[in-house]
Amino acid sequence: MSGNFGPSLLIQIEDELQKIHHLSSEYYSNKLKLWLYLPVFEKILSSDNQNVIEAYTTELSFDFINSIINSSLEGFTPKYLDRIEFILSILNSLPYLTSLNLQIEKAIKKVSAWNDKLNNALNGKEIISDDKNLIIPLLESYNHDETVFGLLETITVKINKSKNSDNFLIVPSEKELEQLLDEQIKVSWMNATNYVKDFIRNLDNYHEVIIHFNKRTRFCRGNSLGAALTIKFIEELLNYYNAKYLVEIVQGIAITGGLSEDGKILSVGNDIISRKTELIFYSDVSHFVIPKQDEAYAKEKLEELKTEYPDRNLKIIAVEDLEDLLSRRNVVSIKKQNPVVRAKKFARKNIYTTIIVLLLTALFTALLTIDFDDNPALVTLDGQKAHIKNKNGKVLWQIDYPFDTRNLGDPRAVKAFFKICDVNNDGSNEVIFVKNRLKDGFIYSEIGTILCVDKNQNLTWEFNFQDTVYSEREDLPPIYSLFLIDTTSNKGEKILLFWANNGPSFSTAISGINLQTGKRIKETFWGSGHTFGGLVLDADRDGAQEIIACGLDNGYEDAVFWILRLNDLDGYRPTKEEYIIKDKKEASLVAYLRIPKNDFDILVGHRTTGIVFFDLSYKQEMKKFSFTLFNFKTTTVEFSAKIHTVIYEIDTNYTVSDVIIGSNFRVIRDSLVAHGNLNPPFTDTKEYKKILINNVLYWKDGKWLRKEEF
């Protein structure tokens, strides 16, 4: 694979990753996530920038491979499976992934084995389905023209006696059953009990019925499992009462269709039967039982699919009612039970019943324990509300929290406003968040505030940032926008680091709050130009943490990057005289870099370049910091005209080691060079990159020097 990596490709990748991040709902499968990941990895691996490939594959491969291992692959065509295998083979060849224990070999074996089995089925070879249970095709709500999303579910039914009423329990549990599904369960049970009365002499009035979805499906909706559920109820009732005759499903059978009170098999609809036929077609199922009303559309879809795979031996069996279904011996087998086996079952029935009850009690106790977990662990944003969730993804409570939808898919943006941690070491987490200052997408005047609430939403502490500082140029009163960096320990106390940007003017600050009390630490680091990203880590591995940040400097009108030790969090960063924050000392910085405007910025007349918010990151594998500069095509500031210009990479010696040119920037600047408006060299060349790297200024012994000067 080869290709050029630039912001346009980065935007495409991030847009597609945002779709995947939004699949936090419990009603989507790993298969859908896998399908969405596939083009992302193909784009990543098409880059000719090895640093980009390493960064993304290291970050995403675990979830991608985990999705494969936990996916059921039916419904995918051989072409899609080949694409998955090809991606896996490349990942398996990358040496830096070897130490991450990603189970790539396991994923390769799974996809390869299924691909072989599917191709055998499509080419007409006789196969035996691995699943001996009745198969129910279920579709996901996510619809796409290229492929069908769903899976082949199986269910296990367990029956116990009940005193006062029939009770139906679903595993995985749901708070409320969808109405059609709830009604269909009751109708299927009624049909099943009416049928078995001819085989069971003393049928109890009431039962507890546990329906276990073996693949733990959470997107079963509607009544289309009615016929299959009725067969399973009949099968289990006859087993439970140890009847003389038993019902067994023939292996490799899939069934769809609802059931009416008078036993009629109900249509699932033209579109749904077509999609389910396609899902079954790309599987190892040999017989598909459907409602009679849907026969024409199912066979039409089957013939369409067989134009590519004419040897696929899939039988469509159309049935009108329950009696018709039970009379099909190629679907259902009714046989007399061995008397000796029946006698043994009778003797041991009470023991087995007790064991089953204990196991199910333990199961549901565990499920209830999970359901009642009220400890905050996660936060997700939808643009209007913040959803506070427990570790299993259950929403505990919500906060009105308007948020820029362009940043919803970026976890770094969310972390700048929310932090969940155990403040008091009492085993329960608190939620710390910046009070939202957005209304209809705009910032409105309010004191910058950080709140800490316990799991019951009781306020633990509230912090307000109200500093007024001064420069020769102007006074700098509040208001400030606040952003969270991270929690850490300093001088024996647990603190939360944050940065603050002045709304009306240029001052910026980095400081900390005691996590338990909400009181601000005495040290504050000041700058003259807003901060756009911050990290805290031990970058040089000397046992002491540093604060790493990037932003702008209004005095120099340049982008800046700086590092200071956590123990030296005080003073101001150097700038021009009129912008210096008064009555503060000059900070002791580990490193301080200025990135001047490039020739394009100067030509267009921009005062400063721009820095992408929350983009500052540290790539552990490459031992590099990076952040992205952007600008606008003209001096008219319109989002549609925004372009990423250059990604700067800084090594652990705190010097710029490489730059990555944005593709849109390359096109625009190369055109200006070609027309004589800018001097050569062209943009994405070693010569131009060298100019950008050599223009960077470093603060050394009170002077600004270029790299070759020190």
Side-chain angles (χ1 to χ4, degrees), residues 194-446:
N194 288 338
Y195 179 83
V196 300
K197 285 177 181 177
D198 291 336
F199 303 92
I200 300 170
R201 185 176 302 175
N202 297 313
L203 187 68
D204 290 333
N205 292 326
Y206 304 111
H207 299 82
E208 180 186 71
V209 183
I210 301 167
I211 306 165
H212 189 286
F213 287 83
N214 297 324
K215 296 184 180 178
R216 303 191 70 79
T217 307
R218 282 187 174 271
F219 50 82
C220 182
R221 295 293 182 267
N223 64 348
S224 64
L225 81 167
L229 197 57
T230 305
I231 298 298
K232 290 299 294 182
F233 285 160
I234 292 172
E235 181 183 18
E236 187 56 32
L237 278 167
L238 294 174
N239 272 304
Y240 177 75
Y241 284 96
N242 201 19
K244 183 182 294 187
Y245 290 91
L246 299 178
V247 166
E248 291 183 355
I249 306 299
V250 175
Q251 193 167 337
I253 299 292
I255 299 180
T256 192
L259 194 70
S260 67
E261 290 186 356
D262 59 356
K264 301 295 183 183
I265 307 295
L266 303 176
S267 169
V268 297
N270 300 339
D271 179 62
I272 291 177
I273 199 64
S274 295
R275 292 170 62 199
K276 287 190 175 184
T277 302
E278 183 173 350
L279 177 64
I280 294 291
F281 187 88
Y282 294 108
S283 75
D284 58 353
V285 171
S286 59
H287 293 74
F288 186 24
V289 180
I290 65 169
K292 185 67 176 178
Q293 302 98 305
D294 299 330
E295 183 179 16
Y297 279 92
K299 289 189 173 180
E300 179 182 349
K301 185 64 178 181
L302 178 60
E303 291 306 312
E304 175 188 332
L305 295 167
K306 290 182 73 169
T307 57
E308 185 171 1
Y309 299 101
D311 296 324
R312 172 68 165 105
N313 187 23
L314 174 63
K315 303 296 184 184
I316 300 291
I317 302 172
V319 295
E320 294 182 350
D321 53 31
L322 182 60
E323 182 179 354
D324 185 10
L325 174 57
L326 291 169
S327 67
R328 304 289 183 115
R329 290 299 166 261
N330 58 344
V331 177
V332 178
S333 171
I334 300 177
K335 62 181 182 179
K336 189 174 182 179
Q337 187 176 185
N338 185 301
V340 176
V341 174
R342 188 183 180 202
K344 288 182 179 179
K345 286 182 181 179
F346 181 82
R348 295 186 298 189
K349 180 178 180 181
N350 290 336
I351 296 175
Y352 285 158
T353 302
T354 302
I355 293 173
I356 291 171
V357 169
L358 290 174
L359 290 174
L360 291 174
T361 300
L363 172 62
F364 282 102
T365 299
L367 291 173
L368 288 172
T369 300
I370 294 171
D371 286 342
F372 285 110
D373 178 9
D374 62 353
N375 195 26
L378 310 167
V379 59
T380 59
L381 305 177
D382 62 13
Q384 294 300 321
K385 292 183 181 294
H387 304 275
I388 311 302
K389 302 178 178 181
N390 66 12
K391 64 183 179 181
N392 303 300
K394 175 186 174 183
V395 176
L396 303 176
W397 36 276
Q398 299 173 336
I399 304 172
D400 288 330
Y401 209 86
F403 197 77
D404 190 337
T405 55
R406 290 171 295 182
N407 289 324
L408 284 178
D410 188 346
R412 295 171 300 184
V414 177
K415 289 178 181 178
F417 296 96
F418 281 86
K419 180 70 178 178
I420 297 179
C421 60
D422 185 357
V423 168
N424 304 314
N425 297 319
D426 60 357
S428 295
N429 288 335
E430 281 73 31
V431 179
I432 301 171
F433 62 97
V434 178
K435 190 172 183 180
N436 193 287
R437 298 173 54 236
L438 286 174
K439 188 174 183 180
D440 299 327
F442 298 95
I443 294 177
Y444 63 91
S445 297
E446 187 174 301

